[in-house]
Amino acid sequence: MNTLYDTHCHIDFQAFDEDREQVLEAAAEAGVERFMVPGVSAEQWPRLQQLVNQFASWRFALGLHPWFIQQHNLNHLQELEQALDTPHERLRAVGEVGLDATCDNSELQRELFIEQLKLAKNYRLPVIIHHRKTLETTHPLVKQYGPEQGVIHAFSGSYEQAMKFVDCGYKLGVGGVITYTRAQKTRQAIAKVPLSALVLETDSPDMPICGHQGERNEPARIAKVLSVLAELRKVDKDSLSEALWKNSCELFNEAQPASNDHVSG
Ligand SMILES: [Zn+2]
């Protein structure tokens, strides 16, 4: 079985409160051994950390997500800094941060994004970046303020757009988007960029894969994303999953061996 890392999933969300254990079990059966669960708002951070302490396979990030812009204010940046000051072995990134053209208050979004990029850089942590119709404005900010490492979550765009971030040393999160044949531009880009730039993700409970529209997404479905990616890149799944695991560990500065998360508790 392939060992997989879901590098972006919101399994702390309420959508999983009823059956979180079963969802994690199904994921384990599909080979998912690690999960990166991003922060989204100051209000959510304590609960996220509480859950992280329950599940040894979880890694987490802290950040202010543009979808929750109505809840954010500049004081939260100080709270974030304090939280980053508190050592936690599995706090591996700043995120989820970014710009979203479909959300309000673009000025506050921009200010929070820049300040969080700077924090990530200061704390030598990678950054998890959300984008929506904002790839072009995101790139110069990443270049100017961002840390050396990061990931463009749910990348969708052209090969040229992809390479701009790859050239900065950033990785691209590959998820459900590529399971839709109509996503030609993104599929072609992902087929062509260097393998070392790719990581897998589901964005659960969002971004259902093709064939499961309207359903809650789950980390177990990442196996389907792996299959599609192997087809697109014309490589075998075993060597592909090995490379993706390595990329994911590299992204979050983690030791590589899997399978010991479960026993070490
Ligand atoms: Zn997300």
Side-chain angles (χ1 to χ4, degrees):
M1 192 169 53
N2 303 111
T3 302
L4 303 170
Y5 196 139
D6 189 345
T7 64
H8 195 116
C9 53
H10 298 280
I11 43 181
D12 62 314
F13 279 11
Q14 259 183 6
F16 297 105
D17 280 357
E18 297 285 310
D19 61 350
R20 186 167 289 109
E21 304 271 349
Q22 288 96 304
V23 167
L24 291 170
E25 237 166 75
E29 274 166 34
V32 189
E33 296 215 2
R34 276 185 207 166
F35 308 84
M36 167 53 78
V37 190
V40 296
S41 69
E43 198 188 331
Q44 169 249 11
W45 299 339
R47 196 179 117 88
L48 168 61
Q49 295 192 56
Q50 209 179 357
L51 284 165
V52 166
N53 291 333
Q54 277 176 45
F55 300 108
S57 53
W58 292 25
R59 309 297 185 256
F60 72 111
L62 294 174
L64 302 164
H65 189 307
W67 280 2
F68 301 86
I69 192 71
Q70 307 291 358
Q71 295 177 29
H72 305 330
N73 62 57
L74 295 176
N75 294 332
H76 290 150
L77 291 169
Q78 277 153 17
E79 279 183 50
L80 178 58
E81 194 164 1
Q82 277 165 15
L84 295 175
D85 265 331
T86 315
H88 190 301
E89 204 196 333
R90 286 183 279 137
L91 172 57
R92 310 302 314 182
V94 169
E96 164 172 8
V97 303
L99 304 172
D100 191 317
T102 66
C103 297
D104 295 339
N105 215 336
S106 56
E107 243 164 69
L108 181 60
Q109 280 194 46
R110 190 182 155 88
E111 186 165 2
L112 290 173
F113 183 40
I114 290 174
E115 292 306 317
Q116 291 181 99
L117 286 174
K118 289 184 190 167
L119 277 175
K121 191 173 187 172
N122 283 346
Y123 284 83
R124 293 168 189 266
L125 287 169
V127 68
I128 299 170
I129 296 179
H130 170 96
H131 66 96
R132 193 146 180 209
K133 299 182 176 145
T134 51
L135 270 185
E136 295 301 321
T137 39
T138 298
H139 178 255
L141 296 179
V142 164
K143 243 187 134 169
Q144 190 174 353
Y145 303 105
E148 275 173 30
Q149 291 202 86
V151 57
I152 306 302
H153 151 58
F155 177 80
S156 73
S158 68
Y159 174 74
E160 287 69 28
Q161 285 172 318
M163 286 311 292
K164 275 191 187 179
F165 290 99
V166 174
D167 288 341
C168 291
Y170 278 48
K171 301 207 188 295
L172 310 172
V174 180
V177 173
I178 64 160
T179 64
Y180 294 86
T181 46
R182 64 165 188 265
Q184 275 311 324
K185 194 173 58 172
T186 303
R187 280 161 63 102
Q188 281 163 11
I190 294 299
K192 227 168 105 184
V193 297
L195 177 56
S196 59
L198 301 180
V199 294
L200 291 183
E201 56 164 63
T202 60
D203 202 24
S204 304
D206 291 329
M207 300 190 74
I209 63 168
C210 188
H212 294 277
Q213 292 94 321
E215 293 175 23
R216 179 185 70 173
N217 197 12
E218 290 185 17
R221 298 214 170 119
I222 206 168
K224 174 71 185 168
V225 181
L226 175 72
S227 298
V228 172
L229 184 60
E231 276 168 39
L232 284 176
R233 294 186 66 99
K234 302 184 174 67
V235 291
D236 72 280
K237 278 206 291 189
D238 292 344
S239 61
L240 179 61
S241 67
E242 220 173 281
L244 294 167
W245 176 268
K246 193 174 148 264
N247 295 349
S248 310
C249 295
E250 196 182 280
L251 168 62
F252 298 125
N253 297 308
E254 288 196 71
Q256 288 191 25
S259 303
N260 53 8
D261 286 349
H262 304 295
V263 274
S264 67

